[in-house]
């Protein structure tokens, strides 16, 4: 009898704790993808249309829409079809409060909020998909607005290039990896301390891993390659070294601090992860990561693998975790989402994306994908209470 009351008491306590966490969700905006914070507004995307959302007034200002074909517009009205055909905004970057770049439907676009226009600037090459990330150049670069790299299946292991988009919105190749060297580029990260860039490449090739480039990409050299510990998408250059999270499906994932001294590279383990990391952002005085729930690499029977709901070896649970690394490199797991039951490759991996501009916001805005309950919705959370226990 006493055990029964104890169990009931624990269940009630858990319900109270969960209700408290729900209170920390300030607002949920159904069916909208957050792109960026713009002053006191949030740039949102929904069904091929863009809006500025004012949280205080709870008001929406319609801006513009993509001029897409009827099929794409119809797909955008269904969340399941959007996931199946990858019709979310894939990646985006805020240049300033009026200029953005984003990728959608195998193209890269330049967005001007001032002119309320969307301009196509680049068609993704055959064999590749939209870039995972964009890189804002180091201060003092007079030529380019952003850099990005080829990303995608690249089954034939063709040459992989780094591109820059200049002030006239012309796309130029600034560096090319030789055929067979790497599969694709995950990220390009500015290094203000050595005035260059880290280039994260994937996935299993002998020469894949972390590279460093000088400021004009005339010199590119390997830093840590040929090891899954160097497979990464999310990274931040700090005064202590390169902080990054692994993106391995086949091995246990960790957060590492990479340092270089006298030509020697060393790794220091900062924390454990329950899965790979694709999405990240600066937030408050630290760094925010989302773990990913994904299936194993494709086998010879790639069509059947599309329907898999089996996790990769390096993915330890079905929880998408939000992980915060503070300025002292202490690691806190402060929220998690449960992966839904739809096939991982066919209907996307479980993860959380973040809009641009979060580093200047106390409100934490997140976009969960392929998870139960909150899939495809914008969530606005009380980040300070969640992270700082205020």
């Amino acid at each position: 009898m006493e055990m029964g009351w104890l169990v009931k008491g624990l269940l009630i306590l858990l319900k109270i704790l969960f209700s408290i966490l729900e209170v920390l969700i300030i607002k949920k905006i159904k069916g909208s993808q957050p792109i960026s914070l713009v002053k006191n507004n949030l740039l949102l995307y929904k069904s091929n249309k863009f809006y500025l959302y004012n949280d205080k007034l709870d008001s929406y200002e319609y801006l513009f829409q993509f001029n897409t074909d009827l099929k794409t517009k119809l797909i955008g009205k269904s969340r399941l079809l959007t996931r199946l055909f990858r019709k979310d905004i894939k990646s985006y970057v805020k240049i300033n409060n009026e200029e953005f770049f984003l990728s959608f439907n195998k193209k890269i676009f330049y967005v001007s909020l001032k002119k309320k226009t969307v301009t196509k600037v680049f068609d993704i090459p055959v064999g590749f998909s939209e870039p995972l990330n964009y890189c804002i150049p180091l201060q003092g670069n007079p030529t380019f607005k952003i850099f990005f790299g080829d990303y995608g299946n690249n089954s034939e292991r063709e040459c992989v290039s780094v591109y820059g988009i200049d002030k006239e919105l012309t796309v130029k190749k600034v560096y090319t990896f030789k055929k067979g060297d790497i599969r694709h580029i995950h990220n390009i990260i500015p290094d203000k301390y050595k005035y260059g860039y880290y280039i994260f490449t994937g996935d299993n090739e002998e020469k894949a891993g972390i590279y460093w480039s000088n400021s004009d990409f005339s010199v590119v050299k390997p830093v840590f390659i040929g090891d899954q510990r160097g497979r990464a998408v999310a990274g931040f250059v700090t005064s202590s070294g390169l902080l990054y999270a692994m993106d391995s499906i086949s091995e246990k994932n960790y957060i590492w601090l990479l340092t270089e001294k006298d030509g020697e590279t060393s790794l220091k383990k900062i924390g454990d992860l329950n899965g790979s990391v694709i999405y990240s952002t600066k937030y408050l005085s630290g760094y925010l990561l989302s773990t990913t729930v994904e299936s194993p690499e494709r086998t010879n029977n790639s069509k059947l693998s599309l329907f898999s709901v089996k996790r990769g070896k390096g993915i330890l649970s079905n929880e998408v975790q939000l992980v915060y690394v503070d300025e002292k490199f202490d690691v806190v797991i402060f929220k998690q989402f449960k992966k839904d039951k739809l096939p991982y490759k066919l209907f996307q991996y479980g993860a959380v994306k973040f809009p641009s501009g979060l580093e200047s916001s106390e409100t934490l805005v997140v976009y969960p994908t392929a998870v139960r309950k909150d899939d495809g919705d914008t969530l606005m959370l009380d980040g300070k209470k969640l992270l700082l226990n205020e």
Side-chain angles (χ1 to χ4, degrees):
M1 182 68 70
E2 290 182 0
M3 286 297 294
W5 280 107
L6 179 61
V7 171
K8 287 181 180 179
L10 287 173
L11 288 174
I12 292 171
L13 180 60
L14 285 172
K15 287 181 179 179
I16 293 172
L17 290 173
F18 281 126
S19 66
I20 292 172
L21 284 177
E22 289 298 322
V23 169
L24 295 178
I25 298 178
I26 299 172
K27 189 166 291 184
K28 176 188 285 194
I29 308 174
K30 297 285 290 183
S32 296
Q33 181 180 4
I35 303 301
S36 180
L37 275 75
V38 183
K39 296 182 180 178
N40 296 321
N41 298 309
L42 181 61
L43 180 62
L44 292 174
Y45 171 76
K46 182 178 181 179
S47 299
N48 299 302
K49 297 179 181 179
F50 291 86
Y51 303 86
L52 274 180
Y53 173 70
N54 186 302
D55 176 44
K56 292 182 179 180
L57 300 176
D58 195 26
S59 63
Y60 297 83
E61 177 190 352
Y62 169 74
L63 297 176
F64 42 75
Q65 66 178 352
F66 278 126
N67 292 319
T68 57
D69 57 89
L70 180 60
K71 177 183 176 182
T72 301
K73 289 181 180 179
L74 291 175
I75 288 172
K77 295 183 181 299
S78 164
R79 179 59 189 160
L80 280 182
L81 291 178
T82 295
R83 285 172 56 177
L84 178 63
F85 291 101
R86 285 14 181 207
K87 296 302 181 183
D88 276 339
I89 304 296
K90 179 73 171 284
S91 52
Y92 36 80
V93 65
K94 174 184 176 181
I95 305 300
N96 51 53
N97 283 322
E98 295 181 349
E99 296 180 286
F100 302 81
F101 285 92
L102 54 84
S103 59
F104 173 75
N105 213 20
K106 292 281 189 174
K107 298 174 179 61
I108 294 175
F109 296 88
Y110 168 74
V111 175
S112 170
L113 293 191
K114 183 177 182 179
K115 298 178 181 178
K116 295 187 177 181
T117 57
V118 183
T119 306
K120 187 192 78 171
V121 295
F122 187 66
D123 288 299
I124 303 300
V126 176
F128 293 95
S129 58
E130 298 92 333
L132 273 183
N133 293 283
Y134 295 103
C135 169
I136 295 178
L138 293 158
Q139 287 188 355
N141 186 314
T143 305
F144 294 103
K145 286 180 175 288
I146 59 166
F147 295 114
F148 66 94
D150 283 322
Y151 175 77
N153 187 38
N154 191 16
S155 58
E156 300 301 320
R157 299 303 187 262
E158 300 292 344
C159 297
V160 173
S161 294
V162 175
Y163 303 85
I165 300 181
D166 66 18
K167 310 296 183 180
E168 286 73 42
L169 303 182
T170 301
V171 181
K172 299 176 180 178
K173 288 184 181 181
V174 297
Y175 182 79
T176 299
F177 288 90
K178 294 178 182 178
K179 181 175 181 177
D181 274 359
I182 64 171
R183 182 185 180 189
H184 50 217
I185 293 172
H186 287 161
N187 207 350
I188 303 167
I189 300 169
D191 177 4
K192 67 179 182 180
Y193 297 99
K194 293 185 292 183
Y195 206 71
Y197 300 90
Y198 283 99
I199 305 174
F200 290 173
T201 70
D203 286 320
N204 301 308
E205 287 72 20
E206 184 178 335
K207 295 183 180 180
I210 300 173
Y211 291 77
W212 188 87
S213 165
N214 63 352
S215 60
D216 64 358
F217 295 92
S218 60
V219 176
V220 175
K221 60 181 182 180
V223 174
F224 189 81
I225 65 172
D227 188 315
Q228 286 288 287
R229 290 177 297 169
R231 177 173 170 173
V233 180
F236 306 91
V237 174
T238 75
S239 58
S240 301
L242 175 65
L243 180 74
Y244 73 91
M246 285 174 62
D247 170 45
S248 178
I249 304 170
S250 60
E251 295 184 12
K252 175 82 169 69
N253 289 274
Y254 301 95
I255 303 168
W256 298 101
L257 182 69
L258 182 150
T259 56
E260 299 175 79
K261 186 176 181 181
D262 299 327
E264 295 293 322
T265 299
S266 63
L267 292 178
K268 178 183 178 181
K269 189 183 296 182
I270 300 299
D272 296 334
L273 294 164
N274 76 324
S276 55
V277 172
I278 299 175
Y279 302 109
S280 64
T281 185
K282 291 183 180 179
Y283 182 62
L284 298 177
S285 57
Y287 311 95
L288 189 58
L289 313 170
S290 161
T291 62
T292 311
V293 179
E294 56 181 314
S295 51
E297 300 276 10
R298 287 193 177 188
T299 61
N300 293 331
N301 200 338
S302 59
K303 289 185 178 179
L304 283 180
S305 71
L306 289 173
F307 298 92
S308 173
V309 290
K310 179 182 178 181
R311 299 192 307 268
K313 186 178 178 181
I315 313 302
L316 305 184
S317 75
N318 285 328
E319 279 71 44
V320 174
Q321 294 184 340
L322 290 184
V323 182
Y324 188 70
V325 184
D326 68 18
E327 65 271 26
K328 297 178 181 179
F329 299 148
D330 292 326
V331 179
V332 178
I333 299 168
F334 66 94
K335 189 170 178 58
Q336 62 186 23
F337 302 83
K338 188 82 170 182
K339 173 73 179 78
D340 63 24
K341 295 182 178 180
L342 292 173
Y344 295 180
K345 289 186 181 295
L346 202 60
F347 286 98
Q348 299 189 28
Y349 301 148
V352 171
K353 293 184 178 181
F354 311 101
S356 295
L358 270 186
E359 60 268 25
S360 59
S361 171
E362 290 185 1
T363 301
L364 173 57
V365 183
V366 300
Y367 181 64
T369 300
V371 301
R372 297 179 184 178
K373 188 178 178 181
D374 298 311
D375 168 63
D377 297 331
T378 293
L379 299 184
M380 303 177 72
L381 312 175
D382 192 329
K384 290 193 74 174
K385 284 187 178 179
L386 280 167
L387 294 170
L388 304 180
N389 296 317
E390 295 187 358

